Each structure stands twice: as C-alpha cells, then as structure tokens.
Amino acid sequence: MPFNSVQYFLFLPLVYLVFYCVPDRARWGVLLAASFCFYSALKVPYLPAVLALVTLVTYAFGIWVDGARTQGAKRAFLWCGIAANVLILVGMKYLPFLSENLGTLAKLFSPGADVTPVQALVAIGVSYYVFQAISYLFDIYLEIDTPERHLGHFALHLAFFPKLLQGPIERSCDLIPQLREKYLFNYENARLGMLLFTWGLFKKVVVADRIAPYVDNVYNNVHAFKGLPLLLATYAYSFQIFFDFSGYTDMALGSALLFNIRLTQNFNRPYLATSVADFWRRWHISFSRWILDYIFKPLQMQWRSLKNWGSAAALVIAFLVSGIWHGASWGFVIWGGLHGLFMACSIFYKPYQKKLHKALGMEKTKLLKWWQVFVTFNLVSFAWIFFRAATLADAWYVASNLFNGADGMKEAFLFLRSHELTMTLVSVAIFVLLSALFRQEKLQQLFAKSAFKRYLAYNSLLFSLILLAKYGATKSFIYFQF
Amino acid sequence: MELKEQLNDIFCEVFDDDDIRISEEMTANDVDGWDSLSHVNLIVSIESKFNIRFSQKELLTFKNVGDLLNAIRSKLG
C-alpha cells in the first residue's frame, strides 16, 4: 500500500477516525494493529513475522543490556542483540548476493564447483527497522536511553506505519516519548500534516514521475546513447531521486503529524550543499546520522592514533556500509565507496583548499559558494550513475561516455511527445514557484500569509495534482526497495 | 595550573584560536571549526598531555566540555 495509492487514501483517514474515537489507553493498540495491517497489505506473509521477531528479540536484549551487572556482561548482551538483528537482515537481504559471489569465487579455485544460488526474499522495510533496533540497543548500552518496558509502545515505535517502509530511521529516545503522550486534537498539526502530505504527493506524482520516463528510456538501454543524452539523463536522475524520496518523506511526516507525532526531517535542500560532507548533512539525514553515530564515530575513535588516516579509513568503511545497506549489488558498493573516497580525499585536501582560496582572494565570496555547490552537485550526480545503472557494465559505459558526442539525442527525446515535454516543464516550473512559498522548514509560515496567497498555493497544488500528475503509469518509490 | 585552564590551553592550540574561553556547558556548536575531524585531534592532544586513555563508551557519550572535564578528573583522581 504505497502512499500514492487509492488504498492508502482510504486507509489513512479510516485509521485516524478509529484512533480519534477510542479512549487514550487503546490508541497505541489501534496504531499497532493498523501498522501490521499496512505491512500485511504487501501480501508477503513472512514480513510481519520478521517484524514481530525483530521486535521481541530487541525488546528482550534491551532489558538484558540494561540489567546486566558488569560492563563485560552488558557488552556481551549488546553484541548478541546486534548479531541477532544483523543475522536477520543478512538472511532476508544478502544471502543471494553472498551465494552468487561465493559461487564465482569457488569457480575460480575449482572450475567444477557448483554453488546453488539462494532465492531472493522480499525484504521491504527490514533494513529500516533493523537499523532502528540496533541504534536502540546501542543507546541503552551507552546509557543515552533506558529500555522501554511497555511492549506495545516498543513494538509500535518499530512498526509505526508512516515510517515503516522507507524511514525516516527514528531514534527511540525521540519517538517513544511521543507515543506515550495523551492525544489531543491539534488543528495546527492536522492542517500542516495534510499540507505536507499533499506537497509530498505533488513532488512524487507530478515531478518525479514525469522525469522518470526520460531517465528510464536512457538508462534501460544505455548502449543506444553516447555523450549528451547520457549526461542529461544522469542529471535528470539526480532530480528524480530527490523528488521521489523527499516527496515520500513529506508524505510520511504528514501522515504522522495527524497523530501528533513529529518524525525526523530527512532533507534540507541537499543540492545546495557546498561539499560532499555537507550533502550528507542534508540528504537522508536520519540515515546519515545513523551511519555517523554507530559506524563512523566508533571506528574513528578506535583509530584515533592514526589521526587523518584513521578518519579517512573510517569514512570509507562507513560509506561502504551505507552502500551495502541500499542493496546487495556492486553498483551500490561502488556508489558508497565513491562518497567515502570523496570525503576521505577532502580531509587531506582541506588545508590546501583554504590556502588556495586565500591566495585567490575568494574566501567567503558568493562566487566561491556557488562554485562549491556546482562541484558538489556534479560529484554527487556522478556517483548516482552507479546507483541507477542496471549493471556495473552499464554504469561504466555511462561514466566513460558522458562527454563523447551526442549520439541518440533524438531517440532520447522522441518518446516524449510534445505535450508530455510541455507538461514536464510546466510541472517543474510550478514546483519552483511553490517552493518559494513551501520552504520545507518554513511550511508553517504559509498559514500566516494572506488568504489569497494561501488559497492560491492550495489550488495550484490541487489543480497540478489533477491536471499534471502522471497517472496510470505510477511508479513505486525508489527507496521502497531498500 | 588548574585543570580547566590546562584544558583551555589545549583548546586554543587545537582550534588555533587564543580567544577561546571554555565553559562546562560549551558544545561543539559553540566553537568555530569543532567538527568530527578536529574532535579527534582534540581527544588525542588531551590523552597525550594528561597521559590518560578514554574508553570508547566515554568518547561516544561526551555531550559538552563539562563531561570531558569530569572524565579527565576521574582518570587523574
């Protein structure tokens, strides 16, 4: 039941209605049951069972980590709890990849070897709640958080449907206290939630889904193109994935707000970042914070005697993990590795960079800022090639043919019948205009504007959704698969 | 010299700024250039100056300069 489906448009108000009507003590039960129904709607019977297993295992280990008398015992429980979660994740997501690569390796040493590849399982949502479970155990071990004794609240914080399939990856200490609070109808939250939801829907079905056919046309058959169409499709993908994922996040945040739950903001205008490190402070924020807190920092501290080299190695490993988290394929590994490498290089380049800017007299100038934004956007877009391409060979072909003429330009655009192209451009133009009113962190400010401006914005959104949305060929959210 | 003053000297040296005056409530947000990379240099300088070694758990739970001071004090104690 994706957020842009008719079923969800009925499901959300229905859940809200039941939630509103029952007494406070039963509300967590309504949300928990709704979340499991939502998960069951994927029609993969083992998924709710996996969620229940992760919930029970993490609940028990949380209490054991906290209750252990010695540091050694605490650490042992922590690692057992993490190992159990990682095993579940590996079993659900990585066995086919591991068996395939082991098979290739085995064939290298003994050509007759035959390793039967493992069938892939559907693992939608698993990597999100497993990461959340691991952070919960870590925080209890570090005594930043205390274990949640109420199994219902605990289960709900992992299963809460607005963030179940694609995050944000919430920290327990942020979410559980909100689940315990008494619900009182809050008009501001209700209207902000609905506006966020609609804005996210607009980003997804009007903008992302309109850009998608062009990207798919080129990326599904990269060898038919050379040069410019590959470059344009790569830039287009950078925007498609942003609108797709940030649209989803807005819809998740908006849904949660109806129940007075504030989820973590996942995006902050990422393509205005002035460095790759800055990009990760603005893109998929809840995820990069997780990688930073639980992988990068512990490794960096472990290797602190190596100074910059230790930090660089920690960055590369943290971002390789980030790549693998997205999926079991070499494309994601290279994508993560590239980001790690960009940042590791910047550690060593930074002192010279400062001197260079000083020598050129460009320190703190606007021109320098925009140059940095341009370079960062291009580095990030280059890495997206490995994220998007169907195979490593395709990715390599795109990367090595970006500036190699303009073969296939006509074919790349041919399928875009003239009115389709116009509608895509109009959609993007409306997005740019509305963005001026809808700066994410200032969305509430719209409510303080004059009725004329407010209704102009509401109606532009609604009419765009009716007239410009890409219906019929609705694509699932990109981050759905992770 | 008092512990806080000694720590202040290390801050000035690591962040290359003689005007830093540390306080217990101070966090990374209050010091220009205190990011995760300079944080490592700060920790390594403190460890070598006082000849102590922080545990991973301590390093991951410092919230402010006060926590840092308490940890140093308890190790020197």
Side-chain angles (χ1 to χ4, degrees):
Chain A
M1 198 190 312
F3 290 166
N4 55 342
S5 66
V6 178
Q7 292 98 306
Y8 189 74
F9 296 164
L10 297 172
F11 172 82
L12 183 63
L14 186 72
V15 173
Y16 180 73
L17 210 66
V18 178
F19 174 85
Y20 185 82
C21 293
V22 301
D24 231 17
R25 62 178 188 282
R27 283 190 166 131
W28 66 265
V30 171
L31 287 182
L32 186 62
S35 300
F36 271 84
C37 286
F38 177 79
Y39 209 26
S40 305
L42 290 170
K43 297 201 178 80
V44 184
Y46 51 78
L47 279 180
V50 173
L51 174 58
L53 180 67
V54 169
T55 303
L56 291 174
V57 165
T58 312
Y59 176 78
F61 273 102
I63 290 172
W64 292 335
V65 170
D66 183 62
R69 296 230 174 110
T70 62
Q71 271 306 315
K74 273 181 193 291
R75 204 174 304 138
F77 278 125
L78 168 73
W79 286 113
C80 286
I82 290 176
N85 271 296
V86 171
L87 273 177
I88 293 171
L89 183 59
V90 169
M92 293 294 295
K93 220 173 149 177
Y94 299 102
L95 281 186
F97 180 70
L98 288 174
S99 73
E100 190 186 312
N101 283 286
L102 271 176
T104 318
L105 209 64
K107 270 188 190 141
L108 276 181
F109 291 104
S110 128
D114 184 28
V115 180
T116 326
V118 179
Q119 281 291 315
L121 294 172
V122 178
I124 297 166
V126 181
S127 37
Y128 290 92
Y129 55 76
V130 162
F131 262 38
Q132 214 170 282
I134 292 174
S135 86
Y136 169 77
L137 292 175
F138 242 118
D139 287 354
I140 289 176
Y141 172 74
L142 294 175
E143 292 165 35
I144 296 171
D145 200 2
T146 49
E148 174 57 49
R149 308 269 164 181
H150 190 299
L151 182 59
H153 287 158
F154 179 78
L156 178 57
H157 110 278
L158 286 181
F160 188 45
F161 68 88
K163 54 133 202 103
L164 178 62
L165 304 181
Q166 278 183 229
I169 299 170
E170 292 295 327
R171 283 180 93 139
S172 319
C173 49
D174 292 332
L175 186 52
I176 292 180
Q178 297 191 64
L179 300 176
R180 286 199 213 107
E181 265 174 38
K182 227 174 142 66
Y183 173 80
L184 285 171
F185 176 75
N186 180 320
Y187 175 64
E188 285 305 309
N189 278 352
R191 71 169 173 172
L192 181 61
M194 284 190 267
L195 180 59
L196 252 178
F197 188 87
T198 318
W199 179 229
L201 184 67
F202 168 83
K203 279 182 179 171
K204 166 68 181 162
V205 297
V206 179
V207 189
D209 286 356
R210 287 218 156 265
I211 302 176
Y214 173 66
V215 177
D216 291 348
N217 182 42
V218 174
Y219 264 89
N220 290 348
N221 185 19
V222 291
H223 296 276
F225 306 95
K226 248 184 188 174
L228 198 57
L230 294 176
L231 189 71
L232 290 177
T234 301
Y235 283 138
Y237 184 65
S238 299
F239 287 103
Q240 184 202 340
I241 194 169
F242 167 71
F243 286 116
D244 192 283
F245 193 18
S246 77
Y248 164 84
T249 304
D250 287 344
M251 293 168 90
L253 266 60
S255 302
L257 261 183
L258 294 180
F259 307 97
N260 283 354
I261 307 276
R262 284 185 182 271
L263 298 178
T264 311
Q265 183 51 266
N266 241 356
F267 291 91
N268 176 21
R269 297 181 293 161
Y271 291 143
L272 291 180
T274 51
S275 67
V276 177
D278 189 25
F279 172 78
W280 281 103
R281 284 190 283 270
R282 294 159 169 268
W283 175 275
H284 205 180
I285 299 167
S286 65
F287 172 73
S288 55
R289 215 175 50 184
W290 194 100
I291 291 286
L292 193 77
D293 285 347
Y294 303 109
I295 310 253
F296 171 69
K297 279 185 186 166
L299 285 178
Q300 185 200 30
M301 286 304 165
Q302 192 66 37
W303 297 331
R304 60 188 179 277
S305 54
L306 303 171
K307 296 210 171 161
N308 281 350
W309 286 101
S311 296
L315 272 172
V316 172
I317 290 183
F319 277 88
L320 281 175
V321 172
S322 145
I324 295 166
W325 177 88
H326 283 83
S329 88
W330 288 107
F332 291 130
V333 175
I334 292 180
W335 169 79
L338 275 174
H339 274 274
L341 217 58
F342 291 154
M343 282 183 271
C345 290
S346 82
I347 293 179
F348 298 103
Y349 170 57
K350 215 174 182 177
Y352 302 102
Q353 190 186 28
K354 269 191 175 167
K355 279 181 197 160
L356 183 71
H357 294 161
K358 224 175 193 174
L360 292 170
M362 286 178 75
E363 264 185 319
K364 289 178 185 161
T365 58
K366 273 213 162 137
L367 184 68
L368 176 66
K369 192 198 152 204
W370 285 110
W371 167 248
Q372 288 173 327
V373 168
F374 175 76
V375 172
T376 306
F377 175 68
N378 278 284
L379 288 174
V380 170
S381 297
F382 180 77
W384 284 135
I385 294 174
F386 295 86
F387 196 92
R388 172 62 183 84
T391 63
L392 213 49
D394 279 7
W396 183 247
Y397 176 83
V398 175
S400 52
N401 282 287
L402 283 174
F403 304 104
N404 196 3
D407 288 11
M409 199 59 195
K410 220 170 142 191
E411 289 79 1
F413 280 103
L414 197 61
F415 82 102
L416 285 172
R417 296 187 304 276
S418 59
H419 76 276
E420 288 262 342
L421 186 63
T422 317
M423 279 169 91
T424 306
L425 294 175
V426 170
S427 303
V428 172
I430 292 179
F431 169 79
V432 172
L433 287 174
L434 285 176
S435 291
L437 284 169
F438 284 7
R439 287 263 302 275
Q440 250 166 31
E441 71 275 25
K442 292 177 181 163
L443 201 63
Q444 287 100 320
Q445 289 185 0
L446 180 69
F447 301 134
K449 293 194 193 296
S450 65
F452 174 75
K453 275 189 180 168
R454 266 184 293 142
Y455 281 90
L456 183 70
Y458 300 151
N459 287 315
S460 313
L461 260 186
L462 285 179
F463 280 108
S464 307
L465 280 169
I466 295 165
L467 298 173
L468 295 167
K470 190 89 181 147
Y471 291 111
T474 311
K475 285 178 72 74
S476 62
F477 288 96
I478 295 174
Y479 265 68
F480 205 55
Q481 56 184 307
F482 309 135
Chain B
M1 194 164 35
E2 210 210 327
L3 179 68
K4 198 170 166 182
E5 285 171 41
Q6 284 176 288
L7 187 62
N8 204 115
D9 287 349
I10 298 175
F11 267 77
C12 293
E13 200 183 305
V14 170
F15 297 110
D16 196 20
D17 179 356
D18 290 339
D19 297 330
I20 295 180
R21 290 290 164 267
I22 59 168
S23 67
E24 311 263 327
E25 300 77 32
M26 196 179 224
T27 68
N29 296 332
D30 304 318
V31 179
D32 229 14
W34 190 353
D35 55 19
S36 57
L37 298 176
S38 53
H39 184 67
V40 177
N41 297 334
L42 180 72
I43 295 297
V44 171
S45 300
I46 293 170
E47 286 183 331
S48 72
K49 179 102 177 193
F50 295 108
N51 202 19
I52 53 174
R53 179 117 181 132
F54 295 114
S55 69
Q56 272 278 6
K57 195 168 173 174
E58 286 170 322
L59 289 169
L60 296 175
T61 47
F62 289 144
K63 285 188 299 293
N64 53 27
V65 172
D67 288 351
L68 195 60
L69 269 169
N70 288 336
I72 302 171
R73 225 173 258 134
S74 75
K75 288 197 186 291
L76 294 176

